[in-house]
Amino acid sequence: MRTLFFYFFIFFYSLSTVLADNNYRDYLIKTANEQKLYNERYWWILLHYKKGTFGIKSQIDDPIFFVSSEGKYNPKAELEATLSSFFEPQKEGEEHPSCKFIARYKWLKEKLNFDESLINIPPCERIKDLNPTGATIIFPTYYMNNPASMFGHTFLNIDLQYDNKLLSNAVNYSAFTQDTNGLIFTFKGLSGFYKGYYSVFPYYKMIQKYSDINQRDIWEYKLNLTESELYKMIYHIKELEKIYSYYYFFDENCSYNILYLIEAARPSVSLTDRFNFLVLPIDTVKIMLEEGMIDSVDFRPSKTSKIKHKISLLNKYSQIKALNIIKRIDAPNKIIDAEMENQEKIKILDTVIDYIQFQYAKKKMNIDEYKNIILEALSARSKLGKLEDNTLYNVPVPKHPEQVHDLSRINIAFGLNRFNNKNLYFQEIGYRPSLNDLLDTDYDSWSGTQIEFFNTVLRYNYSEETLKIKNFDFFNIISISPMDKFFKPFCWKANTGFSEKIVSNGNFALIYRLNTGAGISNYSKAIGLAYLFLEPELNMGGALKDNYSIGGGISAGILKEITPHWKIHLSGKTFYFGFRENYNESEIKLGQSVKLSKNNGLELNFIWNKQFSFDMFETKLAWNIFF
């Protein structure tokens, strides 16, 4: 009888507990709906919801991120399902939903003032021992010789209690891919075929990757987040572990998805809503500056920047000495007995040691070769003592990348075109969504970079009263990296689109163009950046014989910075098209640009062009407005 009574007691106790749980769960859901928490901005940030043409949709694509089967599209259903999940018992081998979705739990608990005595919440091990002390946005700069990095990159660094910043944790969002073919990578990256994941690495490993191997300078932007905001950010990072969303190179990319972490920390700022079809890493830094979120900026030069700076400290004789050691012509010890000042010997060996380490990081020598020469160099260096002035090795801080002009450009131009003994006055309006050209004064003068997408120019001819498309580029990219005794990078270019050309009957016609090239370059302070390209080109259009022509030739130029706000570019090319339509094309162009303010500049171009037997001269003055 006592046993039967005991079982009755347990049954009714359990039933009453379940009913109590259900009552409290229903109460919380009802309260949340009455407060319309599903419409609150923070809930949308945590679930990455956006309102589009076809309704509300989360930009997270992994179904395990949602508790409700409708969660990707329905904030209310997801909130109700999330609240219900907190009342579920913990399954063996799995995290309880209150821990798996710790940011949601913390926020809902605060908003609904949970009575935790009515919810059986197990401890959450994954948030134990967290001790963040700060957060920093990291911007590795552009490296044109790698097309995947032409826009730069951003990731987040979580500072911990360690004094050494290198031991902090870097939070990175990137596409998961094993493709090595650049064209396949580009196509899949543009089309959303890659899954993107948040991942956490020690910061020193990210420095090795971006700074030591990929030759990219790093800028560190310290965020002014409070302790409470830091914890909110980390809770959301924990929720996103092993969760994917489809990666899109232009918009839902590395930098855009990092913005969600910032908004989770400080929902009062609106960051992700400020971008549409194109998100450049440096633009995400700019909007954080505009929101007053950045306290300080630090520059961390790449390994190659450090080496190049040390090389610049050596005279020509010392540079040859360093090269002889690097090429194994001389042993490192030989420098000890050389007839030169001790400080010069130190600079030579320090340069050699950095260069050897860089070569090994780039896998240009095996471990045995590396050990032999680095140990010899270090042994020789240890016998020379200290450098008298350690500040000598401080790399000069270049122009801050966030200070360059804004992304897009409109230009208004006027000019005179002389063709077939006629003077044709014209006016142009152009639009370029991104980013820069060779004449841009905001970028380094010792290298040449041009990244243009969808550059479009319309021309109105006053004499003929006609409005025509003068130019439309799908893309036009040029990378000019100078060679020297120590570094031998290659130059490359690729462009495709439509442009107006002179055809055999002496008229202008819109022709499709596919052009690429490879070349070499050299930089000197006196002359500037000189380059030479070999280029094949395909032209297609109904105005050509058999609708196409194939040819090639050379192009060359000199790019010179006169002052920090004034740059000139003298260029020329000569092409021969010998397949189908036979003709020569030659051109000489002198362009110069003057920066008036951050987002305003003038550009003046003189062009001589000859195709078939027709000469054309053109002068054009343009006002560039960036926004």
Side-chain angles (χ1 to χ4, degrees):
M1 189 64 186
R2 284 183 178 178
T3 303
L4 184 62
F5 177 77
F6 175 76
Y7 283 122
F8 269 115
F9 174 78
I10 292 297
F11 172 76
F12 282 112
Y13 177 78
S14 301
L15 180 62
S16 63
T17 302
V18 169
L19 290 174
D21 283 353
N22 287 343
N23 286 339
Y24 191 54
R25 179 200 62 195
D26 294 343
Y27 164 76
L28 290 179
I29 292 173
K30 181 184 176 188
T31 306
N33 285 335
E34 286 174 351
Q35 295 181 14
K36 295 186 177 179
L37 295 184
Y38 53 84
N39 273 341
E40 286 215 6
R41 173 171 162 72
Y42 200 66
W43 182 248
W44 281 46
I45 291 172
L46 293 180
L47 274 298
H48 297 205
Y49 285 126
K50 291 294 175 191
K51 188 177 286 184
T53 307
F54 302 103
I56 298 167
K57 180 182 176 182
S58 171
Q59 292 181 324
I60 297 288
D61 298 293
D62 195 332
I64 66 171
F65 186 68
F66 305 99
V67 184
S68 166
S69 59
E70 304 173 36
K72 183 173 173 64
Y73 303 95
N74 190 334
K76 184 169 181 282
E78 181 63 18
L79 190 144
E80 291 176 353
T82 301
L83 279 172
S84 292
S85 72
F86 296 155
F87 290 83
E88 295 173 0
Q90 184 167 8
K91 296 176 183 175
E92 189 175 350
E94 294 183 15
E95 286 183 317
H96 190 263
S98 62
C99 187
K100 183 179 179 182
F101 304 113
I102 184 65
R104 301 184 207 179
Y105 177 76
K106 293 281 185 182
W107 181 70
L108 289 169
K109 177 186 170 186
E110 179 186 331
K111 298 297 289 187
L112 296 171
N113 193 22
F114 284 179
D115 182 350
E116 289 192 306
S117 66
L118 299 177
I119 311 176
N120 186 22
I121 299 295
C124 185
E125 299 293 331
R126 67 192 327 212
I127 62 168
K128 282 186 175 179
D129 303 324
L130 295 177
N131 191 18
T133 59
T136 308
I137 289 292
I138 309 296
F139 175 65
T141 54
Y142 324 96
Y143 178 54
M144 284 296 295
N145 270 13
N146 181 355
S149 69
M150 65 176 70
F151 289 119
H153 178 62
T154 53
F155 59 90
L156 184 69
N157 209 41
I158 306 295
D159 301 327
L160 302 175
Q161 67 274 26
Y162 308 113
D163 292 334
N164 190 343
K165 190 187 291 185
L166 301 184
L167 298 176
S168 55
N169 285 332
V171 182
N172 189 46
Y173 179 86
S174 61
F176 176 76
T177 172
Q178 295 180 322
D179 291 323
T180 55
N181 184 295
L183 286 177
I184 293 175
F185 177 81
T186 302
F187 172 74
K188 287 186 172 180
L190 292 173
S191 308
F193 282 96
Y194 291 126
K195 291 178 178 176
Y197 290 90
Y198 294 90
S199 51
V200 179
F201 299 95
Y203 186 37
Y204 69 86
K205 286 199 170 183
M206 300 296 278
I207 290 176
Q208 286 175 347
K209 175 181 176 182
Y210 289 105
S211 176
D212 295 351
I213 298 174
N214 289 344
Q215 308 175 46
R216 296 163 69 172
D217 293 332
I218 287 176
W219 293 85
E220 299 173 339
Y221 298 87
K222 181 76 175 176
L223 298 173
N224 54 13
L225 299 179
T226 64
E227 182 180 356
S228 167
E229 290 171 335
L230 283 171
Y231 274 97
K232 285 181 181 177
M233 176 192 288
I234 290 175
Y235 292 153
H236 191 45
I237 292 170
K238 293 289 183 184
E239 285 185 335
L240 293 165
E241 285 180 356
K242 301 178 182 177
I243 298 296
Y244 73 81
S245 52
Y246 290 114
Y247 181 96
Y248 293 88
F249 187 71
F250 280 139
D251 48 12
E252 293 180 45
N253 55 23
C254 58
S255 298
Y256 177 79
N257 281 285
I258 289 295
L259 295 181
Y260 273 115
L261 307 182
I262 310 296
E263 288 185 336
R266 186 176 292 175
S268 59
V269 298
S270 180
L271 305 176
T272 54
D273 289 338
R274 295 178 62 169
F275 294 97
N276 294 314
F277 71 96
L278 181 60
V279 183
L280 290 189
I282 193 58
D283 283 345
T284 64
V285 174
K286 286 180 181 177
I287 63 169
M288 280 183 257
L289 276 165
E290 289 171 10
E291 294 285 353
M293 300 190 71
I294 292 174
D295 266 353
S296 59
V297 185
D298 289 323
F299 173 64
R300 186 184 291 274
S302 68
K303 192 75 171 179
T304 49
S305 292
K306 292 176 184 175
I307 295 170
K308 287 179 178 178
H309 177 63
K310 285 180 179 174
I311 291 171
S312 72
L313 301 175
L314 302 175
N315 57 42
K316 289 186 178 178
Y317 177 73
S318 297
Q319 288 182 13
I320 292 171
K321 284 286 185 186
L323 273 177
N324 285 345
I325 298 172
I326 290 167
K327 293 178 179 177
R328 319 288 198 275
I329 296 172
D330 291 334
N333 263 326
K334 194 174 178 181
I335 203 72
I336 296 174
D337 300 323
E339 292 185 1
M340 61 175 61
E341 291 184 0
N342 194 61
Q343 291 296 299
E344 192 68 12
K345 297 176 186 176
I346 289 174
K347 288 189 284 184
I348 291 172
L349 283 179
D350 284 345
T351 304
V352 167
I353 290 167
D354 277 2
Y355 191 87
I356 292 169
Q357 290 171 339
F358 172 69
Q359 293 290 90
Y360 178 64
K362 295 286 288 182
K363 299 181 179 177
K364 293 186 176 178
M365 62 174 63
N366 62 42
I367 183 67
D368 292 331
E369 289 178 299
Y370 174 68
K371 279 182 180 176
N372 287 336
I373 190 168
I374 197 71
L375 288 176
E376 286 181 34
L378 288 170
S379 173
R381 174 66 182 85
S382 68
K383 296 171 185 173
L384 295 174
K386 294 182 179 179
L387 187 72
E388 290 175 356
D389 181 7
N390 281 326
T391 62
L392 206 60
Y393 287 160
N394 292 344
V395 177
V397 178
K399 185 181 293 182
H400 288 216
E402 76 278 5
Q403 293 174 355
V404 302
H405 59 69
D406 289 338
L407 171 66
S408 302
R409 183 190 75 182
I410 285 180
N411 61 15
I412 301 167
F414 301 90
L416 170 65
N417 181 298
R418 181 165 179 77
F419 181 65
N420 276 344
N421 297 318
K422 292 181 181 176
N423 290 331
L424 305 174
Y425 293 93
F426 64 85
Q427 182 177 347
E428 286 182 355
I429 183 164
Y431 170 65
R432 185 184 71 191
S434 68
L435 175 71
N436 73 304
D437 55 41
L438 291 176
L439 271 174
D440 202 319
T441 57
D442 277 345
Y443 293 84
D444 293 328
S445 59
W446 55 267
S447 66
T449 60
Q450 174 167 298
I451 306 172
E452 292 186 321
F453 285 94
F454 307 115
N455 186 29
T456 306
V457 178
L458 297 177
R459 173 175 288 190
Y460 179 76
N461 192 313
Y462 285 99
S463 304
E464 300 174 350
E465 297 184 343
T466 55
L467 178 65
K468 296 187 291 187
I469 297 174
K470 178 67 178 172
N471 187 78
F472 173 77
D473 288 330
F474 294 106
F475 60 82
N476 190 347
I477 300 170
I478 303 175
S479 171
I480 303 174
S481 300
M483 291 183 172
D484 56 33
K485 297 186 187 75
F486 293 82
F487 296 95
K488 311 289 183 189
F490 66 91
C491 304
W492 62 275
K493 63 184 299 187
N495 65 83
T496 184
F498 295 87
S499 57
E500 200 175 52
K501 299 186 73 169
I502 304 169
V503 291
S504 57
N505 60 8
N507 292 322
F508 288 97
L510 198 62
I511 302 293
Y512 170 75
R513 176 196 72 258
L514 175 61
N515 169 277
T516 184
I520 56 173
S521 70
N522 181 265
Y523 174 78
S524 72
K525 285 185 179 178
I527 296 174
L529 182 67
Y531 63 84
L532 175 71
F533 279 104
L534 286 175
E535 304 178 29
E537 183 167 308
L538 164 70
N539 288 329
M540 299 176 67
L544 297 171
K545 181 182 178 182
D546 294 328
N547 301 320
Y548 72 97
S549 63
I550 297 175
I554 60 171
S555 67
I558 295 174
L559 197 62
K560 173 72 175 173
E561 182 183 88
I562 307 300
T563 74
H565 291 164
W566 180 19
K567 191 180 277 188
I568 62 172
H569 183 201
L570 175 64
S571 62
K573 68 176 184 180
T574 178
F575 280 23
Y576 172 68
F577 291 85
F579 197 73
R580 297 301 179 189
E581 186 83 82
N582 295 328
Y583 66 99
N584 291 308
E585 178 182 0
S586 299
E587 182 176 279
I588 296 175
K589 182 176 181 180
L590 176 62
Q592 54 184 313
S593 66
V594 177
K595 182 176 181 176
L596 302 176
S597 65
K598 178 185 174 185
N599 284 321
N600 287 274
L602 293 176
E603 191 171 316
L604 179 63
N605 285 289
F606 301 99
I607 303 171
W608 167 79
N609 182 280
K610 183 174 184 179
Q611 295 176 63
F612 298 93
S613 58
F614 305 102
D615 291 279
M616 185 272 294
F617 299 89
E618 186 170 292
T619 302
K620 182 170 72 172
L621 177 65
W623 176 24
N624 295 327
I625 306 161
F626 298 92
F627 60 98

